[in-house]
Amino acid sequence: MIQYHKGTVIPPDPSATLSGRGILSKVPEHGSDACCPRPPAGPTGQTLSARKSYRDQSFVGEVSSAVGPVPRLSIRLTLRDRWGGLKVRLGLKRNQYAVDPGLYAVGQPDRQAPVLVTANYKLSLDALRSELSGLDAWILVLDTNGVNVWCAAGKGTFATDELVHRLTTTHLDQIVSHRRLVLPQLGASGVAGHAIRQRTGFRVIWGPVRASDLKAFLKNPKNPSPTMRRISFTLRERMILIPMEISAALKPGAWATGAVIIIALIVGMLGKGTLPSVVGLMMLGAAAGGLGIIGGTVLAPILLPWLPGKAFAVKGASIGLAAAGLGHLILYPPMAAGLGVALALLTVATSSFLAMNFTGATPFTSPSGVEKEMRRAIPAQVMTMGIGTIGWLVAVWTG
Amino acid sequence: MREMTYLPGVRTLTYDASRCNGCRTCTLVCPQSVFTMEGRQARVHNRDRCMECGACARNCEQQALTVQPGVGCAAYVIQTWIKGKDAACCGDIGCC
């Protein structure tokens, strides 16, 4: 079993090198704390070395360096890499997709080769290495508990202390003759470039936001194009987040469905409702909620730039209203006006709340703005949801 | 592509121009192009694009910039209301 732990380079097992692949170790149980890691407490070395083991990153051979062999990463993603990436995009085992931190190589780096720094979220490392064809570089992977660069920087794990610690344990100063580190720009909220220089002598060069711009950046690091510096949120970038949004909405959605069934049965039995009428109203309630989920997690992300308002709750409510209208046009049977309005309110409230949660996935919302939006939106959402629920229950009661 | 901006007038970003030494670092680290250089001095060009990530403040050696950094995520804010700032986690909701 090969394990690259804590940045020390251990010569790989010859049998594994022959097969050209690393070995998948037991996937560690991180639990949900991997989502929001706390900054390592106390002396970095101690906390980090006391921590769990990670999934081994597969490699292709090794590169020799002044301090021993360094595992070399392929720049091609395997089927398993792609499958793993697909699963985390769907929200499955997203908190356990971490690789061992430490030093890796791509191509045949020498003492002059650039050093690229990234996080130990496997999706991040895969995104990086797959953009490096034809490049010889060292890749320094920091321990961020398997969280991507940006979030880890915000939460204090892609941080100055961890970078200093990782530089020490990998003996990078002996491996390269220069003193430059290329960091992803989105790591800047966690790493202070000037502090790295003072503490280690290495100079931090802020690379582009996206790994796909790295090769162009390295050719001309003095004059990166403004688009390399600017975070984007294109249709494609928004759509790739949709499965995760749906996945996150499913669990509360299942609870809500259960509650709807139980409440409808009780209210229906107490009131004048017949079983078919109660079941029919259950399905209408579920459909209204379902339309809200589609509005808030699918349509709102897609249509984000074009939906009215700045607040996501407003955007979600407006697309929810459209979804409710569409429901009445093509999905629902004819019904009393009161019930129709109640179903629409349920859809609008659900969509508004879920769209508001999408703030966390976007690169342009600010915490003070989100808090301001929520202080106004949540009472309105609760009220809308409450009125909608009462209207629906009245229909269940009267049958 | 339409530019997406968020609620205006709420950013906690402050900038003390008298401390700026013109190193340009803020223009390099800001992912929203909030800063521009005006001669040898940085200028807050578009405050309402700021997402309060804190990259500029952390990397300003002159401490000319401050911002209350945080996560612009509703699920996270709800957690801070319920559990307090230290125990907050994004949990099942799709951020971080």
Side-chain angles (χ1 to χ4, degrees):
Chain A
M1 180 76 46
I2 310 146
Q3 301 234 319
Y4 297 108
H5 277 306
K6 316 310 158 215
T8 41
V9 181
I10 301 164
D13 181 331
S15 62
T17 314
L18 280 178
S19 74
R21 259 194 248 139
I23 296 166
L24 198 70
S25 66
K26 186 177 169 293
V27 178
E29 297 287 326
H30 292 201
S32 61
D33 67 329
C35 169
C36 288
R38 299 198 175 92
T44 11
Q46 282 175 21
T47 355
L48 292 175
S49 58
R51 227 153 41 195
K52 62 262 160 184
S53 64
Y54 291 123
R55 175 195 297 257
D56 286 337
Q57 169 60 40
S58 63
F59 61 89
V60 284
E62 58 200 41
V63 173
S64 62
S65 79
V67 299
V70 174
R72 184 167 68 186
L73 302 175
S74 170
I75 50 143
R76 278 187 205 90
L77 301 185
T78 62
L79 212 56
R80 185 201 268 162
D81 295 332
R82 290 178 195 280
W83 174 239
L86 186 69
K87 278 203 296 193
V88 295
R89 286 292 189 193
L90 293 171
L92 300 169
K93 299 204 170 177
R94 189 158 150 267
N95 291 337
Q96 299 171 18
Y97 206 50
V99 296
D100 281 339
L103 190 67
Y104 297 88
V106 290
Q108 286 292 347
D110 56 14
R111 291 170 62 78
Q112 299 296 326
V115 179
L116 312 175
V117 182
T118 190
N120 78 327
Y121 185 34
K122 184 164 160 55
L123 201 63
S124 304
L125 181 63
D126 285 357
L128 173 62
R129 65 192 172 98
S130 59
E131 294 290 347
L132 301 181
S133 64
L135 204 74
D136 302 313
W138 303 104
I139 297 186
L140 186 65
V141 178
L142 304 191
D143 189 350
T144 61
N145 288 333
V147 171
N148 68 72
V149 170
W150 190 10
C151 292
K155 288 168 185 190
T157 49
F158 191 94
T160 306
D161 283 351
E162 164 63 10
L163 179 53
V164 171
H165 168 79
R166 208 50 64 186
L167 286 170
T168 314
T169 55
T170 54
H171 306 288
L172 192 72
D173 56 341
Q174 296 170 42
I175 292 173
V176 293
S177 54
H178 63 79
R179 290 292 175 266
R180 293 181 306 275
L181 304 168
V182 179
L183 265 70
Q185 188 185 329
L186 292 185
S189 48
V191 174
H194 53 88
I196 295 294
R197 184 156 208 186
Q198 282 155 13
R199 289 170 63 179
T200 68
F202 277 92
R203 188 160 64 91
V204 169
I205 295 168
W206 295 108
V209 168
R210 286 165 296 273
S212 54
D213 289 329
L214 247 174
K215 278 206 281 189
F217 175 84
L218 290 173
K219 274 186 196 138
N220 189 7
K222 291 261 190 299
N223 287 308
S225 79
T227 54
M228 284 184 192
R229 290 261 165 254
R230 191 75 193 272
I231 198 159
S232 57
F233 204 37
T234 60
L235 180 63
R236 194 189 125 82
E237 286 167 330
R238 297 197 300 276
M239 284 179 67
I240 205 166
L241 300 172
I242 290 175
M244 184 61 226
E245 293 298 309
I246 297 175
S247 174
L250 280 184
K251 198 171 150 194
W255 280 104
T257 308
V260 161
I261 291 173
I262 291 167
I263 294 169
L265 284 177
I266 293 171
V267 173
M269 276 193 315
L270 294 175
K272 296 175 226 156
T274 60
L275 190 62
S277 79
V278 170
V279 170
L281 282 160
M282 270 182 210
M283 290 174 63
L284 285 177
L291 283 174
I293 292 178
I294 294 171
T297 65
V298 181
L299 300 177
I302 291 176
L303 300 173
L304 199 64
W306 301 285
L307 290 175
K310 297 265 184 211
F312 281 47
V314 174
K315 290 174 182 286
S318 61
I319 194 66
L321 196 62
L326 214 60
H328 278 292
L329 277 178
I330 57 176
L331 188 66
Y332 300 144
M335 63 181 75
L339 178 60
V341 171
L343 292 180
L345 291 179
L346 291 176
T347 303
V348 168
T350 307
S351 176
S352 173
F353 182 76
L354 292 173
M356 193 177 73
N357 271 332
F358 192 60
T359 49
T362 68
F364 65 96
T365 56
S366 76
S368 54
V370 170
E371 190 143 354
K372 180 184 178 190
E373 158 166 5
M374 290 173 70
R375 291 200 182 279
R376 294 174 181 189
I378 287 186
Q381 287 160 351
V382 169
M383 214 146 66
T384 311
M385 189 59 126
I387 296 171
T389 308
I390 290 168
W392 173 76
L393 282 176
V394 166
V396 174
W397 176 272
T398 53
Chain B
M1 187 70 223
R2 258 181 85 157
E3 178 170 297
M4 284 175 276
T5 55
Y6 195 47
L7 307 188
V10 292
R11 306 304 188 275
T12 54
L13 177 71
T14 70
Y15 171 53
D16 178 357
S18 67
R19 285 171 173 263
C20 178
N21 67 354
C23 76
R24 304 175 56 93
T25 305
C26 54
T27 65
L28 298 180
V29 297
C30 177
Q32 288 288 357
S33 309
V34 168
F35 305 99
T36 52
M37 291 304 291
E38 213 162 64
R40 294 277 300 150
Q41 211 163 47
R43 191 171 72 86
V44 178
H45 166 68
N46 193 339
R47 165 179 298 271
D48 285 331
R49 274 209 302 243
C50 173
M51 48 191 237
E52 299 175 311
C53 70
C56 56
R58 186 175 293 281
N59 279 279
C60 180
E61 204 170 356
Q62 302 297 315
Q63 299 179 338
L65 290 155
T66 66
V67 63
Q68 262 175 7
V71 192
C73 168
Y76 181 80
V77 174
I78 292 176
Q79 294 257 345
T80 62
W81 289 350
I82 298 170
K83 296 186 192 169
K85 204 123 201 162
D86 295 329
C89 170
C90 314
D92 285 326
I93 315 287
C95 74
C96 72

